[in-house]
Amino acid sequence: MEYLEITGGNRLRGSVPIGGAKNAALPIMAASILVEGETVLHNVPDLADVRLMQTILGRLGVTAQRDDTGAMRLRVEDEMNVHAEYELVSKMRASVCVMGPLLAKRKRAQVSMPGGCAIGDRPIGLHIDGLKALGAEFELVNGDVLLRAKKLTAREIFLGGPFGSSVTATANVLMAATLADGRTIIESAACEPEIVDLAEYLNKCGAQIRGHGTPEIVVDGVDALKGAEHRVIPDRIEAGTFMIAAAITNGDLELEHARVEHMRAVVDQLRRVGVLIERAEKGISVSSSRRLEPVAITTQPYPGFPTDLQAQVMALLSLADGNSMITEKIFPDRFLHVAELNRMGARLRKEGPTVIVEGVKRLIGAPVMASDLRASAALILAGLIAKGKTRMQRVYHIDRGYERIEEKLVAVGADIVRRQAD
Ligand code: EPU
């Protein structure tokens, strides 16, 4: 088993290239199922989750390969199979994004129901309700969602759930609606930049989508979509993670390609904490003099503060000068990092969906266990400033969503090494 060994204390300085967004690339890759001819995607990050999506698409008859330039070329070769099996879906929830495209293009979709995961329950009722509203028949067979429809018929669909909008449910219904008969209106649609990117790719393929980026998306169905070339947006969560890396190490980083307009809530909160953030020539520059003010943060759907940065900001606030409060409104159980950060000397107390963060003077290196992708990012951030060595086990979690993380960190001065356990 591999682990990461981080020796804390180095200030990070320099420039970090921010890669393509995982959560934009995955649904766009799935959308290629809808399309005739070749799709060429630039800026697809090289991640374990992306490789898994390539495997899933491969089983569904779609070739998805990198060319010499690193671009990913996708093409549907065979439309026979419509089954995304448990063995693959259980490894990555974003696999459910093949459901809408399979149903719309191949008239059937059989997708294993993803189980719970480390960050909570994660139901897919909204995906199914949305696709049923477009006319699909639904059955649950051996733990698989089976959807069938000879043709999809446009409808007005309300996609709000108990925790607000759903990103991948919006993606699924949006993708299916591109080939439905008539005008679909999705109300309470997710407004995340990743949904906007998906809609922009689909429009390049000939879809008729308006209103993406707002809670009301209007889709006029078309008969067919044709392959297109598209560049995936930069990853705002990777950018946010490196912003916090600069802040926590008292450093000075330029985040190349990062887009302020995708990160307003994060920039606003980090500025309140005392972090200096400016637009820079190539992206965003971030520096800190490490006097950190405590703040109250609540995660929300976009444009609110993202749940995918909740763990990382908790690592930062554990060093603030006073008590902070972090409330998780998207995944109320997404707190497995709390106990691990406490092992490093943080003072965190969970009360329901809220964590009270009592600021401490220093964190201390310790052996810790990553529980999920963003929790592992938080532990690395804590390790960068902790006194002594932090050894993080279960490195595969970080490899799902951060491309060459230790390489990027080492390039700006961090002491972090990947090692093989005996
Ligand atoms: N929800 C329902 N019913 C549903 C679907 C969702 O009640 O049918 C609830 C969820 O339980 C949650 C809320 O709605 O409380 C929002 O979940 P959402 O469906 O938006 O999450 P997701 O689409 O499964 C995506 C990202 C996650 C990110 C969330 C929230 C992808 C591939 N995944 O998941 O990313 O945390 O949106 O922003 O886009 C990550 O990258 O680490 C990650 C977990």
Side-chain angles (χ1 to χ4, degrees):
M1 279 293 234
E2 289 181 334
Y3 63 91
L4 285 177
E5 187 174 272
I6 309 148
T7 308
N10 293 5
R11 291 172 77 165
L12 303 192
R13 281 173 195 280
S15 197
V16 183
I18 299 301
K22 164 180 87 79
N23 290 346
L26 294 172
I28 293 175
M29 288 171 71
S32 69
I33 291 173
L34 292 163
V35 165
E36 281 153 30
E38 190 174 61
T39 283
V40 183
L41 296 181
H42 301 279
N43 208 28
V44 176
D46 185 16
L47 301 168
D49 275 11
V50 166
R51 290 190 286 273
L52 191 58
M53 185 57 96
Q54 284 174 283
T55 305
I56 292 170
L57 290 174
R59 300 239 184 127
L60 295 171
V62 184
T63 55
Q65 275 153 7
R66 303 251 183 199
D67 66 17
D68 300 345
T69 68
M72 185 176 284
R73 292 178 178 267
L74 302 102
R75 180 189 284 276
V76 178
E77 303 282 358
D78 179 350
E79 296 196 299
M80 283 297 287
N81 189 20
V82 294
H83 190 185
E85 291 154 43
Y86 183 64
E87 169 214 345
L88 294 172
V89 177
S90 59
K91 291 190 182 138
M92 178 178 72
R93 301 186 50 86
S95 332
V96 297
C97 289
V98 299
M99 198 152 71
L102 284 175
L103 175 69
K105 187 68 173 44
R106 304 187 189 177
K107 320 285 179 217
R108 266 165 62 94
Q110 182 172 356
V111 178
S112 173
M113 183 95 130
C117 76
I119 69 177
D121 234 6
R122 307 191 71 186
I124 57 163
L126 290 170
H127 302 234
I128 296 169
D129 289 348
L131 296 173
K132 273 165 67 182
L134 292 175
E137 281 170 35
F138 161 71
E139 239 183 296
L140 191 62
V141 182
N142 281 337
D144 286 348
V145 172
L146 189 58
L147 291 160
R148 266 183 287 233
K150 284 211 177 60
K151 89 178 161 78
L152 295 176
T153 310
R155 275 275 298 278
E156 278 187 28
I157 299 169
F158 179 75
L159 262 192
F163 297 93
S165 56
S166 160
V167 181
T168 48
T170 302
N172 256 325
V173 175
L174 172 65
M175 290 188 278
T178 57
L179 295 182
D181 211 3
R183 173 170 291 182
T184 299
I185 299 180
I186 308 173
E187 291 287 357
S188 197
C191 301
E192 270 68 4
E194 294 75 18
I195 292 293
V196 176
D197 207 32
L198 170 65
E200 284 181 359
Y201 160 70
L202 289 167
N203 279 347
K204 286 179 191 163
C205 297
Q208 298 282 331
I209 303 167
R210 303 186 270 121
H212 38 295
T214 79
E216 183 181 284
I217 302 182
V218 180
V219 189
D220 286 312
V222 296
D223 292 336
L225 297 174
K226 287 229 171 334
E229 195 162 346
H230 182 75
R231 186 171 183 84
V232 173
I233 53 168
D235 195 313
R236 64 194 167 99
I237 305 301
E238 185 191 20
T241 304
F242 275 98
M243 276 184 179
I244 295 173
I248 207 168
T249 63
N250 198 9
D252 191 346
L253 292 180
E254 181 165 345
L255 311 179
E256 288 169 43
H257 317 300
R259 291 199 196 158
V260 168
E261 64 272 24
H262 290 168
M263 309 184 63
R264 296 208 196 281
V266 176
V267 168
D268 178 64
Q269 283 291 5
L270 291 180
R271 281 187 175 146
R272 285 170 203 264
V273 172
V275 183
L276 296 172
I277 302 173
E278 306 283 351
R279 271 183 203 273
E281 199 186 324
K282 292 190 192 149
I284 303 178
S285 77
V286 190
S287 59
S288 163
S289 55
R290 256 297 298 291
R291 187 187 145 78
L292 304 170
E293 296 294 331
V295 291
I297 293 182
T298 300
T299 64
Q300 286 171 330
Y302 190 84
F305 192 93
T307 171
D308 290 345
L309 284 172
Q310 178 256 110
Q312 299 91 314
V313 85
M314 192 178 293
L316 179 68
L317 292 177
S318 64
L319 290 162
D321 202 3
N323 292 354
S324 300
M325 210 165 73
I326 301 180
T327 301
E328 177 55 69
K329 283 273 176 78
I330 310 292
F331 297 116
D333 295 325
R334 192 178 204 176
F335 283 127
L336 289 178
H337 43 280
V338 166
E340 299 303 298
L341 289 171
N342 279 344
R343 300 191 68 246
M344 298 178 71
R347 284 208 198 121
L348 312 174
R349 196 174 74 247
K350 182 174 165 325
E351 288 183 7
T354 296
V355 171
I356 315 292
V357 183
E358 193 185 323
V360 294
K361 289 267 178 298
R362 67 181 62 81
L363 296 174
I364 303 152
V368 287
M369 196 74 87
S371 55
D372 66 80
L373 171 57
R374 308 304 173 186
S376 52
L379 296 175
I380 292 176
L381 290 169
L384 290 175
I385 192 61
K387 190 165 165 14
K389 286 193 192 310
T390 296
R391 183 186 272 217
M392 189 185 81
Q393 308 281 357
R394 300 196 181 158
V395 176
Y396 52 86
H397 285 296
I398 197 87
D399 293 334
R400 294 187 57 178
Y402 290 86
E403 194 175 18
R404 301 181 287 110
I405 180 131
E406 71 267 31
E407 209 180 292
K408 289 187 184 181
L409 283 168
V410 165
V412 290
D415 185 344
I416 171 168
V417 197
R418 188 179 291 243
R419 295 194 196 284
Q420 196 74 40
D422 308 328

